[in-house]
Amino acid sequence: MTLEQLRIFVAVAERQHMTQAAHELNLTQSAASSAIAALEERYAVKLFDRIGRRIELTDSGRTFLIEARAVLARATAAEKALADLAGLKCGSLSIWASQTIVNYWLPPFLAIFYHRYPDVDLKVKAANTQQVAAATHDGAADIGFIEGPIADPHLSVSKIDGDHLIVVVAVNHPLAGKERVNAADLKAMKWVLREQGSGTRAEFEAALKSHAVEPSALEVVLELPSNEAVCAAVEAGVGATAISNLAAEAGLLSGRLVALDFPLPRRPFYALRHKERYLSHAATALLELVGASASPTARPREKAV
């Protein structure tokens, strides 16, 4: 069994699709299929069921997936330990972050990091808060950045500077000119919100409860998977939303969006790392960089786009 076979197996298992996995790994489909077939033949176990044009993990495959991910995570950790012997002159850093963070908050820090350590390969992936926490737990991410706290005893969680949520509507919305909105106004409006599992949605629902408003009392007409899609729907007049001030900035500056006067708290972001996994020099350097920006005035002044 080789690490390459494990990487192919995990990629196929996660996508449930041989061609997509092969494309992601820059392999031919036949090479990926051969690797899976070799594992199944060598150990006389069926890892996938072929159902028409689809494939699904068998019970044995699901069990093996857990172990394969763990082996790959350990191999990555060993590679990073060796790379650290050369300081910050080589190696890679896998970063997962929630959408608001990866699209608006994180890029200025990454730019500074790149200029300081140009030989470190940064690999950045956007996901929602729950997915980022899971990736950090499983070892797919060296560092995770999320918008809300999580409860995982295996992860070290550090509070860092964040943003604040605001309620925005289209410029022609009936409440766009109202001096101040109240809980009754919120219940009367139609809403466009991020999906369940996103930090933005969770923080907004927690803030509603602090105003004695149950989230179920809102008329949510659309749930969308990205901040950009939410802003576009709001600009089109579908309804109101609660969103990061960073994500709404372009719409507010252009006049397509209007912020309503409803108090929502400033929220911190959180940096995640696994307590028991090796922390590379590169990971330490990035954590120190963002940790040094514990106040809004310390945040890099470059504009994130």
Side-chain angles (χ1 to χ4, degrees):
M1 184 184 301
T2 67
L3 289 176
E4 183 66 9
Q5 287 175 323
L6 292 182
R7 290 190 184 95
I8 293 170
F9 167 73
V10 170
V12 174
E14 289 178 342
R15 291 159 184 79
Q16 301 281 287
H17 198 286
M18 193 72 68
T19 302
Q20 290 179 6
H23 182 266
E24 182 73 18
L25 297 172
N26 293 317
L27 298 172
T28 64
Q29 181 178 342
S30 61
S33 298
S34 295
I36 299 299
L39 283 174
E40 292 181 324
E41 182 179 352
R42 172 68 178 80
Y43 296 97
V45 63
K46 195 173 181 63
L47 300 173
F48 294 95
D49 284 323
R50 279 74 174 175
I51 304 173
R53 299 175 63 87
R54 297 184 298 108
I55 58 173
E56 294 180 357
L57 279 169
T58 62
D59 288 340
S60 297
R62 282 188 286 271
T63 300
F64 183 54
L65 178 60
I66 296 171
E67 300 301 327
R69 282 172 169 162
V71 170
L72 291 176
R74 290 298 302 159
T76 300
E79 182 181 11
K80 292 181 185 303
L82 285 176
D84 263 12
L85 296 176
L88 286 165
K89 297 180 180 179
C90 65
S92 64
L93 183 61
S94 175
I95 305 160
W96 285 47
S98 58
Q99 286 192 19
T100 298
I101 293 174
V102 82
N103 288 335
Y104 304 99
W105 182 86
L106 189 57
F109 292 113
L110 296 182
I112 293 172
F113 186 94
Y114 169 75
H115 287 301
R116 290 181 182 176
Y117 315 112
D119 296 320
V120 176
D121 182 20
L122 296 175
K123 300 176 181 178
V124 183
K125 182 168 182 177
N128 68 33
T129 291
Q130 293 177 356
Q131 292 167 336
V132 172
T136 309
H137 179 111
D138 294 340
D142 299 313
I143 301 175
F145 293 105
I146 58 175
E147 300 161 35
I150 52 94
D152 186 332
H154 299 286
L155 299 182
S156 172
V157 182
S158 302
K159 186 183 292 187
I160 52 180
D161 182 39
D163 63 356
H164 66 271
L165 295 181
I166 56 176
V167 175
V168 296
V169 295
V171 66
N172 59 352
H173 191 279
L175 294 182
K178 188 171 182 179
E179 183 174 341
R180 187 177 178 86
V181 298
N182 54 39
D185 293 322
L186 299 187
K187 296 177 183 179
M189 290 191 288
K190 298 183 187 302
W191 288 86
V192 181
L193 297 178
R194 284 287 306 279
E195 79 284 3
Q196 293 287 352
S198 76
T200 296
R201 178 75 173 263
E203 289 293 312
F204 177 50
E205 291 183 347
L208 286 175
K209 292 179 180 179
S210 72
H211 290 280
V213 177
E214 284 298 319
S216 59
L218 300 190
E219 184 182 358
V220 181
V221 296
L222 271 181
E223 291 186 355
L224 295 170
S226 73
N227 294 323
E228 292 76 14
V230 167
C231 285
V234 172
E235 291 173 11
V238 177
T241 195
I243 200 166
S244 166
N245 64 302
L246 303 176
E249 182 179 20
L252 293 171
L253 290 176
S254 68
R256 301 189 305 271
L257 294 176
V258 175
L260 300 184
D261 186 6
F262 184 79
L264 291 174
R266 184 171 184 85
R267 62 175 180 173
F269 293 152
Y270 298 87
L272 310 178
R273 66 176 181 84
H274 201 288
K275 292 178 180 178
E276 299 178 1
R277 289 200 171 93
Y278 181 79
L279 189 67
S280 68
H281 290 328
T284 300
L286 182 59
L287 288 173
E288 289 177 350
L289 178 61
V290 300
S293 305
S295 65
T297 55
R299 184 169 179 256
R301 308 312 297 176
E302 297 95 321
K303 191 172 181 179
V305 295

